Short mmCIF file of all heavy atoms in Angstrom, two decimals:
data_model
loop_
_atom_site.label_atom_id
_atom_site.label_comp_id
_atom_site.label_asym_id
_atom_site.label_seq_id
_atom_site.Cartn_x
_atom_site.Cartn_y
_atom_site.Cartn_z
N MET A 1 54.31 82.96 175.90
CA MET A 1 55.59 82.74 176.57
C MET A 1 56.34 81.62 175.84
O MET A 1 55.80 80.57 175.55
CB MET A 1 55.32 82.37 178.02
CG MET A 1 56.55 82.13 178.82
SD MET A 1 56.08 81.68 180.52
CE MET A 1 57.47 82.27 181.39
N GLU A 2 57.62 81.85 175.56
CA GLU A 2 58.43 80.86 174.86
C GLU A 2 58.82 79.73 175.79
O GLU A 2 59.02 79.94 176.98
CB GLU A 2 59.68 81.53 174.31
CG GLU A 2 59.37 82.56 173.25
CD GLU A 2 60.48 82.65 172.23
OE1 GLU A 2 61.39 81.80 172.23
OE2 GLU A 2 60.39 83.56 171.41
N PRO A 3 58.94 78.52 175.24
CA PRO A 3 59.39 77.40 176.08
C PRO A 3 60.77 77.70 176.65
O PRO A 3 61.61 78.31 176.01
CB PRO A 3 59.45 76.23 175.09
CG PRO A 3 58.66 76.64 173.92
CD PRO A 3 58.67 78.13 173.88
N GLN A 4 60.99 77.25 177.86
CA GLN A 4 62.23 77.54 178.55
C GLN A 4 63.28 76.46 178.29
O GLN A 4 62.95 75.27 178.23
CB GLN A 4 61.97 77.64 180.05
CG GLN A 4 63.17 78.08 180.84
CD GLN A 4 62.81 78.31 182.30
OE1 GLN A 4 61.74 77.97 182.75
NE2 GLN A 4 63.75 78.86 183.04
N VAL A 5 64.50 76.89 178.13
CA VAL A 5 65.63 75.96 178.01
C VAL A 5 66.35 75.94 179.36
O VAL A 5 66.62 76.99 179.93
CB VAL A 5 66.61 76.41 176.90
CG1 VAL A 5 67.85 75.53 176.89
CG2 VAL A 5 65.92 76.38 175.56
N THR A 6 66.66 74.75 179.83
CA THR A 6 67.44 74.65 181.05
C THR A 6 68.71 73.86 180.76
O THR A 6 68.72 72.95 179.93
CB THR A 6 66.67 73.94 182.19
OG1 THR A 6 66.36 72.62 181.79
CG2 THR A 6 65.40 74.70 182.54
N ILE A 7 69.77 74.22 181.44
CA ILE A 7 71.05 73.52 181.33
C ILE A 7 71.49 73.13 182.73
O ILE A 7 71.61 74.00 183.61
CB ILE A 7 72.13 74.41 180.67
CG1 ILE A 7 71.65 74.88 179.30
CG2 ILE A 7 73.45 73.65 180.56
CD1 ILE A 7 72.58 75.90 178.64
N LYS A 8 71.67 71.84 182.92
CA LYS A 8 72.12 71.34 184.21
C LYS A 8 73.53 70.79 184.07
O LYS A 8 73.81 70.03 183.15
CB LYS A 8 71.22 70.22 184.72
CG LYS A 8 69.94 70.67 185.32
CD LYS A 8 69.23 69.49 185.96
CE LYS A 8 67.99 69.96 186.68
NZ LYS A 8 67.30 68.82 187.32
N VAL A 9 74.38 71.17 185.01
CA VAL A 9 75.74 70.63 185.06
C VAL A 9 75.70 69.38 185.91
O VAL A 9 75.43 69.45 187.11
CB VAL A 9 76.71 71.67 185.66
CG1 VAL A 9 78.13 71.09 185.69
CG2 VAL A 9 76.67 72.97 184.88
N ARG A 10 75.93 68.24 185.31
CA ARG A 10 75.96 66.98 186.07
C ARG A 10 77.29 66.86 186.79
O ARG A 10 78.33 67.17 186.23
CB ARG A 10 75.78 65.77 185.15
CG ARG A 10 74.42 65.64 184.53
CD ARG A 10 73.35 65.25 185.53
NE ARG A 10 73.70 64.11 186.33
CZ ARG A 10 73.43 62.84 186.02
NH1 ARG A 10 72.75 62.57 184.93
NH2 ARG A 10 73.80 61.86 186.80
N GLU A 11 77.23 66.39 188.02
CA GLU A 11 78.47 66.20 188.78
C GLU A 11 79.35 65.18 188.05
O GLU A 11 78.93 64.05 187.80
CB GLU A 11 78.15 65.70 190.19
CG GLU A 11 79.39 65.56 191.05
CD GLU A 11 79.04 65.11 192.46
OE1 GLU A 11 77.98 64.51 192.66
OE2 GLU A 11 79.85 65.37 193.36
N ASN A 12 80.54 65.61 187.67
CA ASN A 12 81.49 64.74 186.97
C ASN A 12 80.90 64.11 185.71
O ASN A 12 81.23 62.98 185.35
CB ASN A 12 82.02 63.65 187.89
CG ASN A 12 82.66 64.22 189.13
OD1 ASN A 12 83.28 65.27 189.08
ND2 ASN A 12 82.50 63.55 190.25
N GLY A 13 80.01 64.86 185.05
CA GLY A 13 79.37 64.34 183.85
C GLY A 13 79.04 65.43 182.86
O GLY A 13 79.64 66.51 182.87
N PRO A 14 78.09 65.17 181.99
CA PRO A 14 77.79 66.08 180.89
C PRO A 14 76.97 67.30 181.30
O PRO A 14 76.50 67.41 182.44
CB PRO A 14 76.96 65.20 179.95
CG PRO A 14 76.23 64.29 180.88
CD PRO A 14 77.22 63.99 181.99
N LEU A 15 76.77 68.18 180.35
CA LEU A 15 75.79 69.25 180.47
C LEU A 15 74.49 68.69 179.93
O LEU A 15 74.44 68.23 178.78
CB LEU A 15 76.20 70.47 179.65
CG LEU A 15 77.53 71.13 180.01
CD1 LEU A 15 77.84 72.24 179.00
CD2 LEU A 15 77.49 71.69 181.42
N LEU A 16 73.44 68.70 180.71
CA LEU A 16 72.13 68.24 180.26
C LEU A 16 71.31 69.43 179.85
O LEU A 16 71.05 70.33 180.66
CB LEU A 16 71.42 67.46 181.36
CG LEU A 16 72.06 66.15 181.78
CD1 LEU A 16 71.20 65.47 182.85
CD2 LEU A 16 72.27 65.22 180.60
N ILE A 17 70.91 69.44 178.59
CA ILE A 17 70.16 70.57 178.05
C ILE A 17 68.76 70.09 177.73
O ILE A 17 68.57 69.17 176.94
CB ILE A 17 70.85 71.13 176.80
CG1 ILE A 17 72.27 71.56 177.17
CG2 ILE A 17 70.06 72.29 176.23
CD1 ILE A 17 73.12 71.96 176.01
N THR A 18 67.79 70.75 178.34
CA THR A 18 66.40 70.40 178.13
C THR A 18 65.68 71.61 177.55
O THR A 18 65.80 72.72 178.06
CB THR A 18 65.73 70.00 179.47
OG1 THR A 18 66.44 68.90 180.01
CG2 THR A 18 64.28 69.60 179.26
N GLY A 19 64.96 71.35 176.48
CA GLY A 19 64.20 72.43 175.86
C GLY A 19 64.41 72.44 174.37
O GLY A 19 65.15 71.63 173.82
N PRO A 20 63.75 73.36 173.71
CA PRO A 20 63.82 73.42 172.25
C PRO A 20 65.11 74.10 171.79
O PRO A 20 65.17 75.32 171.66
CB PRO A 20 62.59 74.25 171.88
CG PRO A 20 62.39 75.14 173.07
CD PRO A 20 62.84 74.36 174.26
N VAL A 21 66.15 73.32 171.56
CA VAL A 21 67.44 73.89 171.14
C VAL A 21 67.86 73.32 169.80
O VAL A 21 67.42 72.25 169.38
CB VAL A 21 68.57 73.60 172.17
CG1 VAL A 21 68.26 74.24 173.49
CG2 VAL A 21 68.80 72.11 172.32
N LYS A 22 68.72 74.05 169.15
CA LYS A 22 69.41 73.59 167.94
C LYS A 22 70.89 73.63 168.27
O LYS A 22 71.35 74.52 168.99
CB LYS A 22 69.10 74.48 166.74
CG LYS A 22 67.67 74.38 166.28
CD LYS A 22 67.45 75.19 165.02
CE LYS A 22 66.04 74.93 164.49
NZ LYS A 22 65.91 75.30 163.09
N LEU A 23 71.64 72.68 167.72
CA LEU A 23 73.05 72.57 168.04
C LEU A 23 73.84 72.58 166.74
O LEU A 23 73.56 71.79 165.83
CB LEU A 23 73.29 71.27 168.82
CG LEU A 23 74.70 70.97 169.28
CD1 LEU A 23 75.20 72.04 170.25
CD2 LEU A 23 74.75 69.59 169.93
N PHE A 24 74.84 73.45 166.66
CA PHE A 24 75.61 73.63 165.44
C PHE A 24 77.09 73.42 165.71
O PHE A 24 77.58 73.74 166.80
CB PHE A 24 75.41 75.05 164.88
CG PHE A 24 73.98 75.35 164.50
CD1 PHE A 24 73.10 75.89 165.42
CD2 PHE A 24 73.53 75.07 163.22
CE1 PHE A 24 71.78 76.15 165.07
CE2 PHE A 24 72.22 75.33 162.85
CZ PHE A 24 71.33 75.87 163.79
N ASP A 25 77.81 72.95 164.68
CA ASP A 25 79.26 72.84 164.81
C ASP A 25 79.90 74.19 164.47
O ASP A 25 79.19 75.17 164.18
CB ASP A 25 79.80 71.70 163.94
CG ASP A 25 79.69 71.96 162.44
OD1 ASP A 25 79.42 73.12 162.03
OD2 ASP A 25 79.86 71.00 161.67
N HIS A 26 81.21 74.23 164.48
CA HIS A 26 81.92 75.50 164.27
C HIS A 26 81.78 76.03 162.85
O HIS A 26 82.12 77.18 162.57
CB HIS A 26 83.40 75.34 164.63
CG HIS A 26 84.15 74.42 163.71
ND1 HIS A 26 83.96 73.05 163.73
CD2 HIS A 26 85.04 74.66 162.74
CE1 HIS A 26 84.73 72.49 162.82
NE2 HIS A 26 85.40 73.45 162.20
N LEU A 27 81.27 75.19 161.93
CA LEU A 27 81.06 75.64 160.55
C LEU A 27 79.61 76.01 160.28
O LEU A 27 79.26 76.38 159.15
CB LEU A 27 81.49 74.53 159.58
CG LEU A 27 82.97 74.14 159.65
CD1 LEU A 27 83.25 72.95 158.74
CD2 LEU A 27 83.86 75.33 159.28
N GLY A 28 78.78 75.87 161.30
CA GLY A 28 77.38 76.21 161.13
C GLY A 28 76.51 75.05 160.70
O GLY A 28 75.33 75.24 160.39
N ASN A 29 77.08 73.84 160.66
CA ASN A 29 76.29 72.66 160.32
C ASN A 29 75.52 72.20 161.55
O ASN A 29 76.08 72.11 162.65
CB ASN A 29 77.21 71.52 159.85
CG ASN A 29 78.03 71.92 158.65
OD1 ASN A 29 77.49 72.39 157.65
ND2 ASN A 29 79.34 71.79 158.77
N GLU A 30 74.27 71.87 161.33
CA GLU A 30 73.42 71.49 162.46
C GLU A 30 73.55 70.00 162.79
O GLU A 30 73.49 69.15 161.89
CB GLU A 30 71.96 71.82 162.15
CG GLU A 30 71.04 71.60 163.33
CD GLU A 30 69.63 72.10 163.07
OE1 GLU A 30 69.37 72.65 161.98
OE2 GLU A 30 68.78 71.95 163.96
N PHE A 31 73.73 69.70 164.06
CA PHE A 31 73.70 68.32 164.51
C PHE A 31 72.26 67.84 164.56
O PHE A 31 71.35 68.62 164.89
CB PHE A 31 74.30 68.19 165.92
CG PHE A 31 75.79 68.35 165.95
CD1 PHE A 31 76.36 69.58 166.26
CD2 PHE A 31 76.62 67.28 165.67
CE1 PHE A 31 77.73 69.74 166.29
CE2 PHE A 31 78.00 67.43 165.70
CZ PHE A 31 78.55 68.66 166.00
N THR A 32 72.05 66.58 164.23
CA THR A 32 70.71 66.01 164.28
C THR A 32 70.40 65.57 165.71
O THR A 32 71.14 64.79 166.30
CB THR A 32 70.61 64.78 163.36
OG1 THR A 32 70.89 65.20 162.02
CG2 THR A 32 69.22 64.16 163.42
N ILE A 33 69.33 66.10 166.21
CA ILE A 33 68.82 65.68 167.52
C ILE A 33 67.59 64.85 167.25
O ILE A 33 66.67 65.31 166.56
CB ILE A 33 68.50 66.91 168.41
CG1 ILE A 33 69.77 67.70 168.66
CG2 ILE A 33 67.85 66.46 169.72
CD1 ILE A 33 69.57 69.02 169.38
N PRO A 34 67.57 63.60 167.74
CA PRO A 34 66.42 62.74 167.44
C PRO A 34 65.09 63.39 167.80
O PRO A 34 64.97 64.03 168.84
CB PRO A 34 66.69 61.50 168.33
CG PRO A 34 68.16 61.50 168.55
CD PRO A 34 68.56 62.95 168.59
N ALA A 35 64.13 63.23 166.90
CA ALA A 35 62.81 63.81 167.12
C ALA A 35 62.23 63.31 168.44
O ALA A 35 62.36 62.13 168.77
CB ALA A 35 61.89 63.44 165.96
N GLY A 36 61.64 64.20 169.15
CA GLY A 36 60.99 63.85 170.41
C GLY A 36 61.93 63.78 171.60
O GLY A 36 61.49 63.60 172.72
N LYS A 37 63.24 63.93 171.36
CA LYS A 37 64.19 63.89 172.46
C LYS A 37 64.18 65.25 173.15
O LYS A 37 64.52 66.26 172.54
CB LYS A 37 65.59 63.56 171.94
CG LYS A 37 66.57 63.21 173.02
CD LYS A 37 67.74 62.47 172.41
CE LYS A 37 68.81 62.17 173.43
NZ LYS A 37 68.43 61.12 174.35
N GLU A 38 63.80 65.25 174.40
CA GLU A 38 63.65 66.52 175.12
C GLU A 38 64.92 66.96 175.83
O GLU A 38 65.08 68.13 176.14
CB GLU A 38 62.52 66.41 176.14
CG GLU A 38 61.16 66.25 175.48
CD GLU A 38 60.03 66.21 176.49
OE1 GLU A 38 60.26 66.47 177.68
OE2 GLU A 38 58.91 65.92 176.05
N THR A 39 65.81 66.00 176.10
CA THR A 39 67.05 66.34 176.81
C THR A 39 68.23 65.75 176.06
O THR A 39 68.19 64.59 175.65
CB THR A 39 67.02 65.79 178.25
OG1 THR A 39 65.93 66.39 178.95
CG2 THR A 39 68.31 66.11 178.98
N ILE A 40 69.27 66.55 175.89
CA ILE A 40 70.51 66.06 175.31
C ILE A 40 71.64 66.28 176.31
O ILE A 40 71.59 67.21 177.11
CB ILE A 40 70.87 66.72 173.96
CG1 ILE A 40 71.02 68.23 174.11
CG2 ILE A 40 69.83 66.36 172.90
CD1 ILE A 40 71.57 68.91 172.86
N GLY A 41 72.64 65.41 176.26
CA GLY A 41 73.81 65.55 177.12
C GLY A 41 75.01 65.91 176.27
O GLY A 41 75.30 65.21 175.30
N LEU A 42 75.67 66.99 176.62
CA LEU A 42 76.88 67.40 175.91
C LEU A 42 78.10 67.03 176.73
O LEU A 42 78.19 67.36 177.92
CB LEU A 42 76.87 68.90 175.63
CG LEU A 42 75.77 69.39 174.70
CD1 LEU A 42 75.91 70.90 174.47
CD2 LEU A 42 75.79 68.65 173.38
N CYS A 43 79.04 66.37 176.07
CA CYS A 43 80.24 65.86 176.73
C CYS A 43 81.11 67.01 177.25
O CYS A 43 81.35 67.98 176.56
CB CYS A 43 81.03 65.02 175.73
SG CYS A 43 82.59 64.38 176.38
N ARG A 44 81.59 66.82 178.48
CA ARG A 44 82.56 67.77 179.05
C ARG A 44 83.90 67.09 179.26
O ARG A 44 84.89 67.77 179.49
CB ARG A 44 82.09 68.28 180.41
CG ARG A 44 80.93 69.21 180.35
CD ARG A 44 80.78 69.99 181.64
NE ARG A 44 80.52 69.14 182.78
CZ ARG A 44 80.85 69.44 184.03
NH1 ARG A 44 81.46 70.58 184.30
NH2 ARG A 44 80.56 68.63 185.03
N CYS A 45 83.95 65.77 179.22
CA CYS A 45 85.19 65.08 179.57
C CYS A 45 86.12 64.92 178.37
O CYS A 45 87.29 64.64 178.54
CB CYS A 45 84.88 63.72 180.18
SG CYS A 45 84.32 62.47 178.99
N GLY A 46 85.59 65.02 177.16
CA GLY A 46 86.40 64.88 175.96
C GLY A 46 86.61 63.44 175.52
O GLY A 46 87.33 63.19 174.56
N GLN A 47 86.03 62.49 176.20
CA GLN A 47 86.27 61.08 175.90
C GLN A 47 85.15 60.41 175.11
O GLN A 47 85.27 59.25 174.72
CB GLN A 47 86.50 60.30 177.20
CG GLN A 47 87.69 60.79 177.99
CD GLN A 47 88.97 60.71 177.19
OE1 GLN A 47 89.31 59.67 176.64
NE2 GLN A 47 89.68 61.82 177.10
N SER A 48 84.05 61.11 174.86
CA SER A 48 82.93 60.52 174.13
C SER A 48 83.35 60.18 172.71
O SER A 48 84.07 60.94 172.06
CB SER A 48 81.75 61.49 174.10
OG SER A 48 80.72 60.97 173.27
N LYS A 49 82.86 59.06 172.21
CA LYS A 49 83.08 58.69 170.81
C LYS A 49 81.96 59.25 169.94
O LYS A 49 81.94 59.01 168.73
CB LYS A 49 83.16 57.18 170.67
CG LYS A 49 84.43 56.61 171.31
CD LYS A 49 84.56 55.13 171.07
CE LYS A 49 85.88 54.56 171.52
NZ LYS A 49 86.46 55.08 172.73
N ASN A 50 81.05 59.98 170.53
CA ASN A 50 79.92 60.56 169.81
C ASN A 50 79.83 62.05 170.12
O ASN A 50 78.75 62.59 170.33
CB ASN A 50 78.62 59.85 170.21
CG ASN A 50 77.46 60.25 169.32
OD1 ASN A 50 77.63 60.56 168.15
ND2 ASN A 50 76.26 60.25 169.88
N ARG A 51 80.99 62.72 170.19
CA ARG A 51 80.99 64.15 170.49
C ARG A 51 80.24 64.93 169.42
O ARG A 51 80.30 64.56 168.25
CB ARG A 51 82.43 64.67 170.60
CG ARG A 51 83.04 64.30 171.94
CD ARG A 51 84.44 64.78 172.06
NE ARG A 51 85.31 63.77 171.45
CZ ARG A 51 86.61 63.92 171.27
NH1 ARG A 51 87.22 65.01 171.62
NH2 ARG A 51 87.32 62.97 170.72
N PRO A 52 79.56 65.95 169.83
CA PRO A 52 79.61 66.60 171.14
C PRO A 52 78.70 65.97 172.18
O PRO A 52 78.60 66.48 173.29
CB PRO A 52 79.16 68.03 170.83
CG PRO A 52 78.15 67.85 169.75
CD PRO A 52 78.69 66.72 168.90
N PHE A 53 78.06 64.86 171.83
CA PHE A 53 77.13 64.25 172.77
C PHE A 53 77.86 63.34 173.75
O PHE A 53 78.87 62.72 173.42
CB PHE A 53 76.06 63.45 172.01
CG PHE A 53 75.29 64.29 171.03
CD1 PHE A 53 75.56 64.21 169.67
CD2 PHE A 53 74.33 65.19 171.46
CE1 PHE A 53 74.89 64.99 168.75
CE2 PHE A 53 73.63 65.98 170.55
CZ PHE A 53 73.91 65.88 169.19
N CYS A 54 77.33 63.26 174.93
CA CYS A 54 77.85 62.35 175.95
C CYS A 54 77.44 60.93 175.60
O CYS A 54 76.29 60.68 175.23
CB CYS A 54 77.27 62.75 177.31
SG CYS A 54 77.61 61.58 178.64
N ASP A 55 78.38 59.99 175.73
CA ASP A 55 78.03 58.58 175.52
C ASP A 55 78.28 57.75 176.78
O ASP A 55 78.29 56.53 176.72
CB ASP A 55 78.79 58.00 174.33
CG ASP A 55 80.29 57.86 174.57
OD1 ASP A 55 80.78 58.27 175.65
OD2 ASP A 55 80.98 57.34 173.67
N GLY A 56 78.51 58.43 177.88
CA GLY A 56 78.72 57.73 179.15
C GLY A 56 80.18 57.44 179.46
O GLY A 56 80.49 56.90 180.52
N ALA A 57 81.09 57.80 178.55
CA ALA A 57 82.52 57.49 178.75
C ALA A 57 83.09 58.18 179.98
O ALA A 57 84.09 57.72 180.53
CB ALA A 57 83.32 57.88 177.51
N HIS A 58 82.47 59.25 180.43
CA HIS A 58 82.98 59.97 181.61
C HIS A 58 83.01 59.06 182.84
O HIS A 58 83.80 59.27 183.74
CB HIS A 58 82.14 61.22 181.89
CG HIS A 58 80.70 60.95 182.16
ND1 HIS A 58 79.75 60.87 181.15
CD2 HIS A 58 80.05 60.69 183.30
CE1 HIS A 58 78.58 60.59 181.68
NE2 HIS A 58 78.72 60.48 182.98
N LYS A 59 82.16 58.05 182.84
CA LYS A 59 82.10 57.14 184.00
C LYS A 59 83.34 56.26 184.08
O LYS A 59 83.73 55.85 185.16
CB LYS A 59 80.85 56.26 183.91
CG LYS A 59 79.56 57.05 183.99
CD LYS A 59 78.38 56.14 183.73
CE LYS A 59 77.12 56.95 183.52
NZ LYS A 59 76.04 56.15 182.93
N GLN A 60 83.94 55.97 182.93
CA GLN A 60 85.11 55.09 182.92
C GLN A 60 86.43 55.85 182.97
O GLN A 60 87.45 55.29 183.36
CB GLN A 60 85.12 54.22 181.66
CG GLN A 60 84.17 53.03 181.71
CD GLN A 60 82.73 53.43 181.45
OE1 GLN A 60 82.47 54.21 180.55
NE2 GLN A 60 81.80 52.92 182.24
N CYS A 61 86.44 57.11 182.56
CA CYS A 61 87.72 57.82 182.44
C CYS A 61 88.11 58.57 183.71
O CYS A 61 89.18 59.18 183.76
CB CYS A 61 87.71 58.77 181.25
SG CYS A 61 86.73 60.27 181.48
N GLY A 62 87.26 58.56 184.71
CA GLY A 62 87.61 59.24 185.95
C GLY A 62 87.49 60.75 185.88
O GLY A 62 88.17 61.45 186.63
N PHE A 63 86.63 61.22 184.99
CA PHE A 63 86.45 62.67 184.84
C PHE A 63 85.98 63.30 186.15
O PHE A 63 85.02 62.83 186.76
CB PHE A 63 85.43 62.95 183.74
CG PHE A 63 85.10 64.40 183.54
CD1 PHE A 63 86.07 65.30 183.16
CD2 PHE A 63 83.81 64.86 183.71
CE1 PHE A 63 85.77 66.64 182.96
CE2 PHE A 63 83.49 66.20 183.52
CZ PHE A 63 84.47 67.09 183.15
N LEU A 64 86.68 64.33 186.56
CA LEU A 64 86.31 65.06 187.77
C LEU A 64 86.10 66.51 187.45
O LEU A 64 86.93 67.12 186.79
CB LEU A 64 87.40 64.92 188.85
CG LEU A 64 87.67 63.52 189.38
CD1 LEU A 64 88.85 63.53 190.33
CD2 LEU A 64 86.43 62.96 190.06
N ALA A 65 85.00 67.05 187.89
CA ALA A 65 84.72 68.47 187.71
C ALA A 65 84.04 68.94 189.00
O ALA A 65 83.25 68.20 189.58
CB ALA A 65 83.81 68.70 186.52
N ALA A 66 84.37 70.11 189.42
CA ALA A 66 83.88 70.53 190.74
C ALA A 66 83.13 71.85 190.70
O ALA A 66 83.06 72.55 191.71
CB ALA A 66 85.05 70.61 191.70
N GLU A 67 82.55 72.18 189.53
CA GLU A 67 81.86 73.46 189.47
C GLU A 67 80.62 73.45 190.36
O GLU A 67 79.81 72.55 190.30
CB GLU A 67 81.41 73.78 188.03
CG GLU A 67 82.54 73.89 187.05
CD GLU A 67 82.92 72.55 186.45
OE1 GLU A 67 82.37 71.52 186.86
OE2 GLU A 67 83.77 72.56 185.56
N ILE A 68 80.50 74.47 191.16
CA ILE A 68 79.36 74.64 192.04
C ILE A 68 78.85 76.07 191.88
O ILE A 68 79.63 77.02 191.94
CB ILE A 68 79.75 74.43 193.53
CG1 ILE A 68 80.32 73.03 193.76
CG2 ILE A 68 78.55 74.70 194.45
CD1 ILE A 68 79.31 71.91 193.74
N ALA A 69 77.55 76.21 191.64
CA ALA A 69 76.98 77.55 191.55
C ALA A 69 76.87 78.12 192.97
O ALA A 69 76.41 77.45 193.89
CB ALA A 69 75.59 77.49 190.90
N VAL A 70 77.31 79.35 193.10
CA VAL A 70 77.26 80.00 194.41
C VAL A 70 75.85 80.55 194.61
O VAL A 70 75.33 81.27 193.75
CB VAL A 70 78.30 81.14 194.51
CG1 VAL A 70 78.19 81.86 195.83
CG2 VAL A 70 79.70 80.58 194.30
N LYS A 71 75.23 80.16 195.71
CA LYS A 71 73.89 80.66 196.01
C LYS A 71 73.96 82.11 196.41
O LYS A 71 74.85 82.50 197.18
CB LYS A 71 73.26 79.83 197.12
CG LYS A 71 72.96 78.42 196.71
CD LYS A 71 72.28 77.67 197.83
CE LYS A 71 72.00 76.24 197.36
NZ LYS A 71 71.36 75.42 198.36
N PRO A 72 73.02 82.91 195.91
CA PRO A 72 73.01 84.32 196.34
C PRO A 72 72.72 84.40 197.83
O PRO A 72 71.93 83.62 198.36
CB PRO A 72 71.88 84.94 195.51
CG PRO A 72 71.18 83.83 194.84
CD PRO A 72 71.97 82.58 194.99
N SER A 73 73.36 85.34 198.49
CA SER A 73 73.15 85.45 199.94
C SER A 73 72.07 86.45 200.27
O SER A 73 71.56 87.14 199.47
CB SER A 73 74.44 85.85 200.62
OG SER A 73 75.02 86.98 199.99
S1 FES B 101 80.77 63.86 179.74
FE1 FES B 101 79.90 61.95 179.27
S2 FES B 101 81.19 61.11 177.80
FE2 FES B 101 82.10 63.00 178.28
#
């Protein structure tokens, strides 16, 4: 069984991706993910100085996002 990747949407924050992933830019260049780092945060607010990674700037810029997954009935 392959290791599972999970993506969590943080309330008013980044996407937290846990699992064995590779991340590429639009030209196919791979971003370096530090060895041993199991979770990465991808910026959703657009204010990070280290995009595509979250650097915590969402806390200061007032980023609001209200996505909620609808539970199956
Ligand atoms: S979501 Fe954290 S810096 Fe943008």
Side-chain angles (χ1 to χ4, degrees):
M1 181 180 209
E2 294 212 10
Q4 186 174 10
V5 174
T6 61
I7 303 173
K8 281 188 175 180
V9 181
R10 291 289 309 270
E11 183 178 23
N12 303 325
L15 300 174
L16 294 182
I17 302 173
T18 302
V21 297
K22 292 185 173 199
L23 181 62
F24 298 90
D25 69 13
H26 67 288
L27 298 174
N29 302 307
E30 186 173 359
F31 288 96
T32 300
I33 298 173
K37 192 161 176 73
E38 293 183 8
T39 299
I40 59 172
L42 295 183
C43 177
R44 289 197 297 153
C45 74
Q47 299 302 308
S48 173
K49 291 185 172 38
N50 190 31
R51 282 180 274 174
F53 303 103
C54 171
D55 69 357
H58 60 272
K59 296 173 192 165
Q60 282 78 44
C61 74
F63 177 62
L64 297 175
E67 299 87 355
I68 300 286
V70 177
K71 293 183 180 179
S73 50

